Amino acid sequence: MITFMNNSDSEEEPCNERTSLMSAESPPVPSYQDGLQASEAGEAQAHRKRRTGSSRSPNNTADGDLSDLGVPVRESALENEEEELTLKYGAKHVIMLFVPVTLCMIVVVATIKSVRFYTEKNGQLIYTPFSEDTPSVGQRLLNSVLNTIIMISVIIVMTVFLVLLYKYRCYKFIHGWLILSSLMLLFLFTYIYLGEVLKTYNVAMDYPTLFLVIWNFGAVGMICIHWKGPLQLQQAYLIMISALMALVFIKYLPEWSAWVILGAISIYDLMAVLCPKGPLRMLVETAQERNEPIFPALIYSSAMIWTVGMAKPDTAARGPSHQTWDSAEDGRENHRSPSHADSRMSETRSPVPTRPITSLEEEESKGRGVKLGLGDFIFYSVLVGKAAATASGDWNTTLACFVAILIGLCLTLLLLAVFKKALPALPISITFGLVFYFSTDNLVRPFMDTLASHQLYI
Amino acid sequence: AFFWLVSLLLSSLIWFIAVKASDPRDEPLQRGLLIFGVVFSVLLQEVFRFLYYKLLRKAIEGLVALSEDGCSPISIQQMAYVAGVGFGLMSGAFSMINLLADALGPGTVGIHGDSQLYFLTSAFMTMVLIFLHTFWGILFFHGCEHRRWWEIAAVVVMHLAVSGSTFCNPLYVGSLVPSYLLMAIAAVWAYLLSGGSAQNVRRFLLCKS
């Protein structure tokens, strides 16, 4: 028991830092905002570049003139269309985020309901030192509040540390930290998870096969998350590690502490993202100033452009004129080195010259997506998993929490489309989830049980 | 689905308070409270359906204002259908899912003298309710759109009738048969309101284009 806890201590260290990072990374980075701001900037840029481009290439002067005339008209039309697109594609982005969140929750709930390991109490993390086995209610409440305070302060310290490292450009340190923690998640936790699942279903597996499976899983995961890989595989890995992390939390957090922590972390999220001096806001703003993407290991993005960065493809693509495309592109490419980014953008742009402007915008909106931090996935799944684990074996509660969280996510995305800046994704969903959990467990369950026993329908 | 959930929450709150405030050993009283709970819940569901209609109306106005050609990408009939399906699915899920989970485990149905057809009839009842919610959604929204209060009243009355008929359980003929009849009526009515006609059906069945 002691050795296990020690192991979990050392493994929890990077993992909880990682969690704090991930919970810190909860705001959906606004590709909307970047897209729109950058598009306006990009139009000005594109205009300027087009002028230089057209002056440099005398055989394009006719085209250049035409494009200059066409641009002001198209800019105003563009703004109207952008607004409409924001709302139209808002629905699409909501669906794009529903699917991964749902998948993560399904994995967590399925594991909780079938594998006994994750609902057994086998000790606690060092971050929640106070036990909840006390005789009186007041003492238990006090212990859970103290646990929460410790946990939240750990998260705050880690987040501030990360922001400081980012500000002072210690990229290597951050990358090393992230690689270490994802290594731990991908190998160690997967090993434990696989072991428990095999135990539950009484399937025997020999060590060489196990080694092969875990090695492949982990190595491909590291490559996909930290380097390049097919988008869907990267998304799948991010979902899996969020689910694993959520399972760890569900197992090791005591009951009341878990609920109080969920509540406290949504308040923290709200403050950290919206307050001017909040660490998350500073992180997002610094990343935007430097025109860099936030680390891919911490953010789930529903579309492909993570290497190209947030502002880039939009500035390049928003230029309404198609003729002097290549010269404008060359002018802008010089401050961005990744060559595959060029190839990607050029391939989206090659069919462009023949198409009308509305389909160009559609293409770009497909290319852009919404980003959600992994911490959000984790805490949503913790809520639903805890509901599945502790709600007297009731599926109604789980279902109610699931619907509540999804509606909260919808509302958050709606606010994102309205406000167009980074928003915390946790507060609304977690509030709804908590409200529905407690009310369904205590109020609806007796009602539905009585109805079902008399076979009455409402 | 969310709106249905909220209505369920509020109605169970009321029932819970009523139960806690009353004597738990008094059987007829408990049954009376249950009936009251059911009726109140049905009414509350319809109220929430109305609120949802109001919300969707506002949303459609917003979409129309922003679209280029003056019509919204999704019509009110489609929204009515979706709303009905959402209500139905949520109601069905809440009714069935615990039953299904228990059905996976060991046990004998009706060993204490209850009906052996419990699972079957529950399944059929849930199915009819889901369909009914869908049709009621269409009827309700149509009534609200065209200001025909009698359509709305008909939906409420039908819902009360179906829920009331389940009080006959385990005399299943008293609950399933009327419910299915009502479902057939509602289906035909909703189909006619959505623009269908006997000719459409005939064309569809004979596979004419």
Side-chain angles (χ1 to χ4, degrees):
Chain A
M1 189 59 72
I2 295 180
T3 51
F4 187 71
M5 267 184 75
N6 280 342
N7 262 346
S8 65
D9 292 349
S10 59
E11 86 208 8
E12 286 314 318
E13 208 55 67
C15 290
N16 269 334
E17 289 160 352
R18 174 154 203 185
T19 320
S20 62
L21 298 179
M22 289 191 276
S23 65
E25 286 308 322
S26 50
V29 175
S31 42
Y32 277 124
Q33 176 205 11
D34 293 331
L36 292 169
Q37 269 185 4
S39 66
E40 280 141 44
E43 273 162 11
Q45 266 191 31
H47 202 153
R48 266 182 282 124
K49 288 270 170 34
R50 220 170 296 114
R51 283 192 189 278
T52 56
S54 54
S55 60
R56 261 187 276 136
S57 44
N59 49 343
N60 279 347
T61 40
D63 299 336
D65 288 337
L66 272 173
S67 66
D68 290 344
L69 277 177
V71 158
V73 173
R74 287 198 213 162
E75 277 183 20
S76 55
L78 222 76
E79 283 168 18
N80 282 343
E81 286 176 23
E82 275 177 26
E83 259 192 55
E84 179 196 324
L85 275 169
T86 306
L87 278 162
K88 237 203 264 185
Y89 291 101
K92 198 166 157 220
H93 291 142
V94 168
I95 305 294
M96 280 204 274
L97 279 184
F98 266 18
V99 175
V101 172
T102 311
L103 277 175
C104 194
M105 286 195 224
I106 287 178
V107 170
V108 171
V109 170
T111 311
I112 293 269
K113 287 284 185 190
S114 54
V115 178
R116 288 271 147 257
F117 174 71
Y118 287 103
T119 40
E120 291 161 5
K121 290 249 3 132
N122 260 344
Q124 292 179 208
L125 302 171
I126 54 162
Y127 300 103
T128 52
F130 295 97
S131 152
E132 283 194 8
D133 286 331
T134 54
S136 74
V137 173
Q139 181 75 5
R140 189 172 184 182
L141 196 61
L142 181 70
N143 278 355
S144 53
V145 171
L146 288 172
N147 278 341
T148 311
I149 292 177
I150 296 177
M151 188 81 162
I152 298 286
S153 35
V154 166
I155 290 179
I156 292 180
V157 163
M158 293 301 175
T159 314
V160 169
F161 186 46
L162 176 72
V163 173
L164 284 175
L165 285 178
Y166 191 67
K167 254 186 136 51
Y168 294 115
R169 298 178 188 268
C170 311
Y171 292 140
K172 285 209 168 13
F173 192 89
I174 296 180
H175 276 127
W177 188 4
L178 287 178
I179 287 182
L180 197 66
S181 59
S182 48
L183 211 72
M184 205 63 82
L185 265 176
L186 278 172
F187 286 101
L188 186 63
F189 283 170
T190 313
Y191 171 68
I192 295 175
Y193 179 75
L194 201 60
E196 292 305 321
V197 169
L198 290 174
K199 256 191 245 177
T200 306
Y201 291 106
N202 211 11
V203 174
M205 192 185 258
D206 51 313
Y207 275 117
T209 314
L210 187 70
F211 174 70
L212 201 67
V213 167
I214 293 198
W215 170 251
N216 279 328
F217 181 79
V220 175
M222 289 303 287
I223 294 176
C224 265
I225 297 176
H226 291 283
W227 195 46
K228 297 179 228 187
L231 179 70
Q232 294 192 322
L233 200 59
Q234 184 187 28
Q235 290 173 338
Y237 268 104
L238 289 174
I239 293 175
M240 279 191 267
I241 60 178
S242 310
L244 284 172
M245 198 69 216
L247 284 168
V248 166
F249 271 145
I250 295 174
K251 182 175 170 62
Y252 286 112
L253 285 179
E255 306 264 338
W256 292 17
S257 306
W259 298 114
V260 184
I261 285 179
L262 276 174
I265 210 162
S266 44
I267 299 177
Y268 161 70
D269 198 25
L270 194 66
M271 295 197 316
V273 174
L274 294 178
C275 290
K277 277 299 170 190
L280 298 178
R281 186 169 173 157
M282 289 188 355
L283 186 71
V284 170
E285 283 173 359
T286 320
Q288 284 173 2
E289 276 168 35
R290 297 182 194 169
N291 257 349
E292 286 167 2
I294 302 191
F295 313 102
L298 299 177
I299 298 246
Y300 177 95
S301 93
S302 52
M304 59 175 187
I305 328 174
W306 69 268
T307 48
V308 183
M310 302 181 286
K312 200 61 192 1
D314 306 314
T315 61
R318 285 287 171 190
S321 155
H322 315 304
Q323 289 92 342
T324 51
W325 210 240
D326 294 329
S327 48
E329 208 184 277
D330 292 338
R332 233 171 291 116
E333 291 295 328
N334 49 13
H335 71 278
R336 261 286 156 172
S337 44
S339 54
H340 74 278
D342 296 350
S343 62
R344 235 182 248 183
M345 284 197 297
S346 56
E347 82 204 8
T348 52
R349 220 152 297 115
S350 45
V352 150
T354 51
R355 290 209 209 150
I357 196 163
T358 48
S359 58
L360 163 66
E361 311 233 337
E362 273 176 87
E363 211 176 328
E364 280 313 312
S365 304
K366 273 186 214 145
R368 271 184 300 158
V370 175
K371 298 186 172 73
L372 188 63
L374 284 190
D376 297 331
F377 277 88
I378 291 180
F379 285 108
Y380 292 162
S381 308
V382 166
L383 198 148
V384 177
K386 267 280 187 225
T390 64
S392 340
D394 193 29
W395 282 87
N396 283 346
T397 319
T398 314
L399 196 60
C401 289
F402 169 69
V403 171
I405 288 183
L406 285 185
I407 295 287
L409 191 62
C410 256
L411 281 174
T412 311
L413 286 172
L414 197 70
L415 287 178
L416 181 70
V418 167
F419 285 116
K420 299 192 181 46
K421 52 183 234 177
L423 285 181
L426 280 180
I428 302 179
S429 290
I430 299 273
T431 316
F432 276 359
L434 286 174
V435 163
F436 271 85
Y437 171 74
F438 285 111
S439 52
T440 312
D441 200 27
N442 297 321
L443 298 175
V444 177
R445 195 173 41 88
F447 188 43
M448 292 303 288
D449 284 344
T450 324
L451 286 180
S453 65
H454 293 280
Q455 219 174 3
L456 298 176
Y457 281 83
I458 53 165
Chain B
F2 183 65
F3 273 69
W4 187 87
L5 206 60
V6 175
S7 82
L8 179 66
L9 199 74
L10 290 174
S11 49
S12 27
L13 176 67
I14 303 286
W15 179 79
F16 191 75
I17 293 175
V19 165
K20 285 298 178 202
S22 67
D23 183 8
R25 283 161 311 211
D26 191 357
E27 268 300 318
L29 179 63
Q30 290 298 316
R31 191 159 172 91
L33 275 180
L34 199 60
I35 295 177
F36 160 70
V38 166
V39 170
F40 188 73
S41 178
V42 167
L43 292 174
L44 210 59
Q45 278 180 46
E46 298 303 328
V47 166
F48 270 83
R49 210 197 290 269
F50 183 68
L51 289 176
Y52 192 54
Y53 164 76
K54 281 262 172 250
L55 183 72
L56 284 181
R57 202 86 202 93
K58 285 221 169 70
I60 277 199
E61 281 163 18
L63 282 174
V64 164
L66 278 167
S67 77
E68 10 181 61
D69 51 357
C71 42
S72 89
I74 177 169
S75 73
I76 189 82
Q77 286 97 343
Q78 284 171 318
M79 283 195 185
Y81 175 68
V82 170
V85 170
F87 263 59
L89 281 179
M90 209 53 198
S91 139
F94 260 67
S95 315
M96 261 325 259
I97 204 160
N98 276 332
L99 239 61
L100 288 172
D102 286 334
L104 282 176
T108 311
V109 185
I111 196 169
H112 287 293
D114 299 311
S115 161
Q116 285 182 335
L117 299 171
Y118 186 79
F119 282 145
L120 265 180
T121 49
S122 299
F124 277 113
M125 198 67 208
T126 311
M127 183 177 84
V128 84
L129 255 186
I130 296 179
F131 277 131
L132 274 172
H133 269 292
T134 315
F135 300 135
W136 284 335
I138 300 178
L139 291 173
F140 195 91
F141 277 44
H142 185 264
C144 290
E145 277 289 298
H146 298 265
R147 299 266 177 276
R148 292 196 199 152
W149 307 116
W150 59 276
E151 273 181 20
I152 299 174
V155 169
V156 177
V157 165
M158 264 199 270
H159 197 165
L160 281 171
V162 169
S163 286
S165 73
T166 59
F167 284 112
C168 298
N169 283 338
L171 186 68
Y172 294 122
V173 71
S175 69
L176 280 177
V177 172
S179 309
Y180 272 88
L181 282 174
L182 277 175
M183 183 188 86
I185 295 176
V188 169
W189 194 0
Y191 184 66
L192 288 173
L193 281 183
S194 312
S197 65
Q199 291 165 330
N200 281 354
V201 177
R202 209 180 307 134
R203 238 182 285 154
F204 168 71
L205 287 174
L206 297 175
C207 298
K208 285 204 197 124
S209 64

